Amino acid sequence: MASLSSYTSFPPRVLLLHRQQSKPILFPPDSTPSIRQLYTKPISFSRRSRVAINATAAASDSSGNSNPSSPAKKLREIMQSPGVLQGPCCFDALSAKLVERAGFPYCLTTRFAISAARVGLPDKGLISYGEMIDQGQQITQAVSIPVIGDGGNGFGNAMNVKRTVKGYIRAGFAGIIINDQVSSGGERGVVSREEAVMRVKAAVDARRECGSDIVIVAQTDSREAVSLEESFSRARAFTDAGADVLSVDSLVSREEMKSFCNVYPLVPKLANMLETGGKIPMLNPLEIEEIGYKLVAYPLSLIGVSIQAMQDALLAIKGGRIPPPGSMPSLEEIEGILGYDTYREEEKRYAISSSSNRGSSSSSVYGNQRVAQDESKQRVEDPVVEVMVPEVVSNESRNPFSRIWSRSLRIKIIGRDGFEKLDVRIPAGFLEGVTNIVPALGGVNLKQLMDDAADEVGGKLLLDFKDTAGDKIQVFLE
């Protein structure tokens, strides 16, 4: 296998600030010294002087023309802004919309969450390349902010990586994460350093062949699988191969995180803040920025709270009630999130005025005549409907149930925490409506209970029991 020095044929361009000039100087590609030559030892930079590698790469199409609206260009511009950039991980178009509405400048996807939401399966290589591309396209088309897609191990060898990167570019992603795992979502085994670097080279070649400027995030899992030193060596090799952003997974301390950020300090670093079950210290954004990271991802927050919220709602429904109003948005809020107002406003642009319909009246004479004939025929063939007059029942009716139709039922639900969850009054005769409100009453013969209490005064307690969720349900006849 060739040595790593052979992978420096495409060195990243470096943006440096000249001491005597206020504008940055960009080295020409043919004269750019390699990162290894520029920084033989780790050095620290203040937040003001930290500059992103490859952030000035021009967006271009196959003809070399600039593409100012490309998602990758937006992402590169965002990465030039000061401070650390938080990026929640979405898993479908709706969650991506919520990220954008919350004001985040970009977001990421995660195979773990997409595998869970789309196919309901663990992230063990079961979700396919086509499914990831389709889900990614739905996400990128739903928002205007740039999205970094999780490409896993590229679905195989270097040739698979090239196909994956090209597919993510066509899907509209601004960036793609490529890791060195043996199998996507599998155990923490990693391929050799040489093969891992070849994956990054293949991603860079795919980007060039497409005339794209997609941001390539190279991630290594070798910290846990091999050693800390090996993860740093791979990070350096990934940069020499053309990666734009670096990420080392499973760092276990602030010191390790700081040491990683000192590996080519000019290259932006991505911190993967695994909210639960991870080894990386959970730090706030200011602490992460102080260490030296530029991007921070939160992979489990949205999918985690979504699962919990659905479980809580299902538990409430199973217990005979609906989720409390404060636990979910109103219908108007849901429509606002989905863009109903925008849709209606845009729909008006294509509305046809009533005067436009007059011009087509002459061409539809035959149709109108045919309709008139059909209506006439229908009137002739309409069946005769027999009207039955109901018998008037006197107040002395022998059916005692008829005397409580003017009464009302009061339904109260007290949660097991002692707080009142429901207190509503409905007409006593609306038995079906009662079971719609509280399904737990479906097996109760309310008619018989009300029949027996027809002569009782208001406030008669008909039922008092606890449902399967432990909530107290009471029904009064008033």
Side-chain angles (χ1 to χ4, degrees):
M1 188 66 66
S3 64
L4 287 179
S5 60
S6 63
Y7 302 130
T8 60
S9 56
F10 300 99
R13 289 177 288 180
V14 184
L15 185 65
L16 295 179
L17 296 178
H18 196 278
R19 293 181 179 177
Q20 298 178 354
Q21 295 182 357
S22 59
K23 296 183 179 180
I25 296 176
L26 183 65
F27 289 113
D30 57 349
S31 64
T32 304
S34 70
I35 294 294
R36 192 182 302 278
Q37 293 170 337
L38 283 172
Y39 305 108
T40 57
K41 296 181 180 180
I43 61 175
S44 60
F45 277 69
S46 67
R47 279 179 279 183
R48 292 184 178 181
S49 62
R50 191 177 300 125
V51 186
I53 293 293
N54 282 341
T56 58
S60 60
D61 55 23
S62 58
S63 62
N65 296 326
S66 176
N67 181 10
S69 62
S70 74
K73 181 175 176 61
K74 293 182 180 179
L75 179 59
R76 293 179 184 275
E77 291 174 350
I78 291 171
M79 290 169 60
Q80 288 293 320
S81 62
V84 70
L85 301 173
Q86 296 175 276
C89 290
C90 64
F91 49 88
D92 58 13
L94 177 58
S95 59
K97 276 180 172 290
L98 294 174
V99 172
E100 182 176 32
R101 284 174 60 89
F104 290 93
Y106 79 108
C107 67
L108 304 92
T109 67
T110 162
R111 284 173 55 97
F112 180 92
I114 290 179
S115 182
R118 183 177 175 103
V119 295
L121 294 173
D123 180 25
K124 295 294 183 180
L126 299 175
I127 192 166
S128 69
Y129 162 81
E131 289 169 323
M132 289 294 294
I133 290 292
D134 180 67
Q135 194 81 350
Q137 191 169 32
Q138 293 180 24
I139 290 171
T140 59
Q141 291 181 354
V143 295
S144 60
I145 59 175
V147 183
I148 299 176
D150 184 359
N153 69 346
F155 293 90
N157 60 20
M159 295 304 296
N160 293 103
V161 171
K162 289 187 71 172
R163 179 171 183 257
T164 299
V165 172
K166 291 180 179 180
Y168 275 51
I169 291 172
R170 288 191 296 269
F173 281 105
I176 181 172
I177 301 173
I178 296 294
N179 64 42
D180 56 2
Q181 292 180 9
V182 173
S183 60
S184 290
E187 300 302 325
R188 288 295 184 179
V190 294
V191 299
S192 67
R193 187 192 305 178
E194 291 77 11
E195 184 176 349
V197 173
M198 281 299 181
R199 288 181 181 177
V200 177
K201 279 192 55 127
V204 173
D205 290 342
R207 174 174 64 185
R208 186 182 65 253
E209 291 170 9
C210 289
S212 169
D213 60 342
I214 189 171
V215 175
I216 296 174
V217 182
Q219 184 179 68
T220 178
D221 288 77
S222 57
R223 166 63 185 93
E224 184 176 2
V226 185
S227 67
L228 180 64
E229 292 73 17
E230 175 62 19
S231 66
F232 291 171
S233 297
R234 293 192 180 211
R236 295 186 184 94
F238 292 163
T239 303
D240 291 341
D244 301 290
V245 179
L246 298 175
S247 178
V248 174
D249 206 18
S250 299
L251 296 176
V252 299
S253 67
R254 290 171 180 256
E255 290 71 24
E256 289 190 1
M257 296 169 69
K258 183 65 176 178
S259 298
F260 167 55
C261 289
N262 284 333
V263 175
Y264 294 166
L266 295 182
V267 182
K269 308 301 191 301
L270 168 66
N272 190 29
M273 288 285 108
L274 189 60
E275 297 90 329
T276 176
K279 295 184 177 181
I280 190 169
M282 290 304 300
L283 307 175
N284 63 51
L286 292 179
E287 293 173 316
I288 296 172
E289 180 188 1
E290 187 65 34
I291 289 175
Y293 284 91
K294 186 61 185 179
L295 307 174
V296 54
Y298 300 90
L300 295 181
S301 292
L302 297 188
I303 188 68
V305 298
S306 297
I307 291 174
Q308 185 63 58
M310 287 188 284
Q311 288 177 329
D312 291 344
L314 292 171
L315 183 63
I317 294 172
K318 188 175 181 180
R321 62 184 188 278
I322 62 174
S327 68
M328 58 183 181
S330 65
L331 178 60
E332 291 75 14
E333 291 172 327
I334 296 175
E335 290 183 346
I337 292 171
L338 299 178
Y340 273 71
D341 292 339
T342 303
Y343 175 86
R344 295 185 185 105
E345 289 299 320
E346 188 173 355
E347 187 181 33
K348 294 177 183 178
R349 295 170 51 193
Y350 307 103
I352 301 175
S353 62
S354 57
S355 60
S356 301
N357 294 329
R358 299 193 190 104
S360 60
S361 59
S362 59
S363 61
S364 59
V365 173
Y366 172 77
N368 292 338
Q369 291 176 344
R370 181 66 177 268
V371 171
Q373 293 174 0
D374 291 343
E375 290 178 350
S376 176
K377 183 178 180 181
Q378 183 179 3
R379 284 195 295 271
V380 173
E381 297 177 354
D382 279 344
V384 177
V385 179
E386 181 179 0
V387 179
M388 300 182 67
V389 179
E391 180 181 356
V392 178
V393 181
S394 66
N395 292 334
E396 289 76 20
S397 172
R398 285 176 293 180
N399 180 11
F401 186 68
S402 62
R403 289 178 289 172
I404 65 170
W405 280 79
S406 60
R407 310 281 289 274
S408 63
L409 284 178
R410 181 184 180 187
I411 303 174
K412 292 184 63 177
I413 298 180
I414 307 297
R416 57 185 178 183
D417 54 4
F419 290 98
E420 184 178 278
K421 294 187 176 181
L422 182 68
D423 189 353
V424 64
R425 291 174 175 81
I426 63 173
F430 190 51
L431 300 183
E432 184 179 356
V434 173
T435 57
N436 287 338
I437 297 174
V438 185
L441 297 175
V444 179
N445 190 346
L446 289 174
K447 181 179 182 300
Q448 184 62 47
L449 291 174
M450 291 187 293
D451 193 0
D452 296 340
D455 296 325
E456 299 287 345
V457 297
K460 170 68 175 180
L461 179 62
L462 300 181
L463 285 175
D464 188 352
F465 68 98
K466 289 186 178 180
D467 63 10
T468 56
D471 294 340
K472 184 178 183 180
I473 299 178
Q474 294 179 314
V475 180
F476 300 86
L477 178 64
E478 296 188 337

